[in-house]
Amino acid sequence: MLTQEFDTIAAISTPLGEGAIAIVRLSGTDALKIVGKVFKGKELSTMESHTINYGHIVENDTLIDEVMLSLMRAPRTFTREDIIEINTHGGIAVTQEILQVLLRNGARLAEPGEFTKRAFLNGRIDLAQAESVMDLIRAKTDKAANNAVKQLDGSLSDLINTIRQEILETLAQVEVNIDYPEYDDVEEVTSNMVLEKTKHFENLLENLLATASRGKILREGLKTAIIGRPNVGKSSLLNQLLREEKAIVTDIAGTTRDIIEEYANIAGVPLHLIDTAGIRETEDVVEKIGVERSKQTLQEADLVLLVLDASSPLTNEDKELIEMSNNSNRIIILNKTDLPQQIDIAGIPSDYIRVSALKNQNLDQLETQINTLFFSESGLVQEEKDATYLSNTRHIILVEQALQALKEVNQGLSLGQPVDLLQVDMTRCWQILGEITGDAAPDELITQLFSQFCLGK
């Protein structure tokens, strides 16, 4: 952890563009001094903390904008430094000009994620909580946002810190038993104690890893390929799931020639929907490229929605797609059920659902099927409110490594190795878990993680 006194940084914290309000944020020991040079209104030194005040930003007697200024004094702030947020009119030119005025008067342009980095370096949050800030910004559904908020509040950090503390206490107890033996069988007693503890830690980490698949789905979404031969209603299904006319729908086969990608919220799960070109044999050069991309998308997808036309007989192309998707997480959708049925049901697997994308009928069954496929144990709909999901890839890898270190301890105990030799692996587990919260993370990792944040956060 760095302990240096930081300079004062500034950045625009709202998306760049036209809007009613934009926010320019400063953080640092000289924040009040810098803003005091250009703010005309109530004297900053007399303002109470956590208040908002009316005034103007002025430079060299030139009025730049009428603003509302929020003042938050250290240490009760996000960065634990003095923070000032200038609420200005949301035009591009005026927002940029205010930022430039602050930079000319002593502030430095913030690096990506530097506000959150300072919150971490100043002990306001740990590394896992800092990463959850970005997860919250990028959340595409309410459940993904709720999971990020729980981690921001420290649910994952508390669990990791509890495990690390118990490991530390076990290591200390081992040291005491080895350094101050009172009985001849101290080694056997110590080995049994360590085995009992490591089995307990192993169970905690395995339970946490069991949530990883759900957590990653909430965080990143399910890559979902909508496939089928031309004109079976793939684009109509996409439009219904998105609740907007995103894809062009016509009666002409081959209308969709390239991949269309959008996100949809299905029962709180973000679906990364990919509407593919109809898969069929074709001599059209452009359509052929689209067909090849569709086949590749099918292989890479987490979920495949295979759309068949219930109003026409099953074709060889349909049968080929059924065969191609056999090893995928697949949901077969019989579309156009509002029309007379002509498809041979005997020729398709029995776990299909019947819908009419045109009439928006039975699409709720799709939510049920997705929940069954990916959350069959308890389902996100019935999930515990206090559940902690492991969703960050970095965290998952570290927990896997920590779990492997514990297994090596247990393997050594089963082979009769001395406990003091196995302390190395247990200490390694403790250090690996510390990388999740940042207690044992190298400076290079911290810099790399915060560089992925957006400016102003």
Side-chain angles (χ1 to χ4, degrees):
M1 292 291 181
L2 301 176
T3 57
Q4 67 186 53
E5 185 174 293
F6 299 116
D7 54 359
T8 300
I9 55 176
I12 299 169
S13 292
T14 45
L16 191 62
E18 294 183 2
I21 298 293
I23 297 175
V24 183
R25 173 187 288 172
L26 295 93
S27 179
T29 54
D30 292 331
L32 275 69
K33 178 182 176 182
I34 292 169
V35 176
K37 298 177 183 179
V38 297
F39 179 72
K40 300 304 178 184
K42 186 177 180 180
E43 176 62 36
L44 290 179
S45 61
T46 65
M47 290 183 188
E48 294 185 12
S49 182
H50 295 74
T51 59
I52 188 165
N53 304 269
Y54 171 80
H56 297 83
I57 298 296
V58 178
E59 186 181 38
N60 299 326
D61 297 325
T62 300
L63 176 64
I64 297 176
D65 196 17
E66 181 182 36
V67 301
M68 297 295 290
L69 185 145
S70 299
L71 170 64
M72 292 159 278
R73 298 181 187 274
R76 293 190 304 118
T77 69
F78 179 62
T79 61
R80 287 191 171 166
E81 303 172 331
D82 288 340
I83 288 181
I84 291 179
E85 293 184 347
I86 300 172
N87 294 258
T88 178
H89 293 97
I92 297 175
V94 68
T95 307
Q96 289 284 3
E97 181 58 25
I98 289 177
L99 176 61
Q100 292 302 318
V101 167
L102 297 173
L103 298 180
R104 287 194 289 268
N105 281 276
R108 172 177 62 80
L109 183 64
E111 297 173 357
E114 191 168 3
F115 290 95
T116 307
K117 184 178 181 179
R118 289 195 176 189
F120 165 69
L121 294 175
N122 289 327
R124 170 66 174 76
I125 56 176
D126 63 30
L127 198 55
Q129 289 173 298
E131 290 173 283
S132 69
V133 171
M134 210 63 221
D135 290 344
L136 183 57
I137 292 172
R138 293 172 176 168
K140 297 174 178 65
T141 69
D142 55 347
K143 285 186 171 60
N146 289 340
N147 189 52
V149 168
K150 289 174 188 174
Q151 294 199 15
L152 182 57
D153 284 343
S155 63
L156 176 62
S157 301
D158 290 344
L159 179 59
I160 295 298
N161 288 332
T162 298
I163 296 175
R164 293 189 80 225
Q165 183 59 35
E166 290 187 23
I167 291 175
L168 199 60
E169 291 171 359
T170 302
L171 288 169
Q173 192 169 354
V174 169
E175 286 288 346
V176 170
N177 287 354
I178 291 174
D179 293 342
Y180 303 98
E182 298 179 5
Y183 305 100
D184 293 337
D185 61 350
V186 66
E187 180 67 31
E188 181 181 349
V189 172
T190 304
S191 297
N192 291 337
M193 179 200 71
V194 172
L195 183 60
E196 180 181 346
K197 288 289 187 180
T198 53
K199 286 292 185 183
H200 170 63
F201 301 146
E202 190 175 327
N203 184 57
L204 290 175
L205 293 181
E206 285 178 342
N207 288 340
L208 189 57
L209 273 179
T211 70
S213 59
R214 298 181 185 182
K216 285 196 70 175
I217 289 171
L218 288 176
R219 185 174 189 261
E220 301 173 8
L222 283 170
K223 188 174 183 181
T224 306
I226 305 175
I227 67 167
R229 60 181 171 83
N231 212 27
V232 294
K234 298 184 300 298
S235 295
S236 296
L237 178 64
L238 174 74
N239 289 339
Q240 287 291 0
L241 295 176
L242 294 176
R243 296 177 175 84
E244 64 174 303
E245 297 296 318
K246 195 70 179 181
I248 299 173
V249 177
T250 73
D251 292 331
I252 302 172
T255 299
T256 302
R257 295 189 167 207
D258 204 352
I259 289 173
I260 299 174
E261 301 187 42
E262 288 291 337
Y263 275 92
N265 179 353
I266 305 297
V269 180
L271 294 193
H272 179 192
L273 292 171
I274 306 170
D275 182 20
T276 63
I279 298 178
R280 65 172 179 176
E281 293 296 327
T282 178
E283 297 302 321
D284 186 294
V285 176
V286 177
E287 188 180 357
K288 185 178 292 186
I289 295 173
V291 169
E292 289 304 314
R293 288 183 179 179
S294 298
K295 291 179 179 179
Q296 181 179 352
T297 301
L298 167 62
Q299 300 302 320
E300 297 173 352
D302 300 314
L303 171 64
V304 173
L305 303 182
L306 172 56
V307 184
L308 303 176
D309 184 354
S311 68
S312 64
L314 198 66
T315 68
N316 289 332
E317 291 167 338
D318 292 327
K319 294 176 183 178
E320 183 181 353
L321 287 172
I322 292 172
E323 181 67 27
M324 287 173 58
S325 60
N326 265 339
N327 296 324
S328 306
N329 289 316
R330 178 186 66 190
I331 298 176
I332 297 177
I333 299 173
L334 294 190
N335 190 29
K336 303 186 182 181
T337 55
D338 53 306
L339 300 175
Q341 179 177 309
Q342 295 190 39
I343 194 169
D344 180 12
I345 299 299
I348 62 175
S350 59
D351 56 343
Y352 58 84
I353 60 176
R354 302 170 61 86
V355 308
S356 170
L358 181 65
K359 303 291 186 180
N360 194 19
Q361 294 175 350
N362 293 339
L363 291 182
D364 57 326
Q365 292 184 22
L366 185 57
E367 298 182 6
T368 303
Q369 285 284 79
I370 292 172
N371 200 50
T372 301
L373 265 179
F374 294 94
F375 308 101
S376 55
E377 291 182 6
S378 59
L380 276 181
V381 177
Q382 293 84 23
E383 70 178 345
E384 302 88 347
K385 291 185 178 179
D386 296 329
T388 297
Y389 288 97
L390 197 63
S391 60
N392 185 296
T393 301
R394 186 181 76 87
H395 299 169
I396 294 170
I397 292 172
L398 289 172
V399 171
E400 288 174 342
Q401 292 175 352
L403 185 59
Q404 181 58 38
L406 284 177
K407 290 182 177 180
E408 289 173 5
V409 173
N410 291 335
Q411 184 179 8
L413 288 171
S414 66
L415 295 175
Q417 293 182 6
V419 176
D420 54 338
L421 294 180
L422 301 174
Q423 283 182 282
V424 175
D425 288 323
M426 191 176 294
T427 301
R428 183 161 60 90
C429 173
W430 179 79
Q431 291 173 333
I432 290 170
L433 292 176
E435 288 192 36
I436 294 177
T437 58
D439 291 329
D443 291 342
E444 294 81 4
L445 171 63
I446 293 170
T447 300
Q448 191 272 334
L449 286 175
F450 284 106
S451 68
Q452 300 174 25
F453 280 52
C454 53
L455 278 171
K457 191 59 192 171

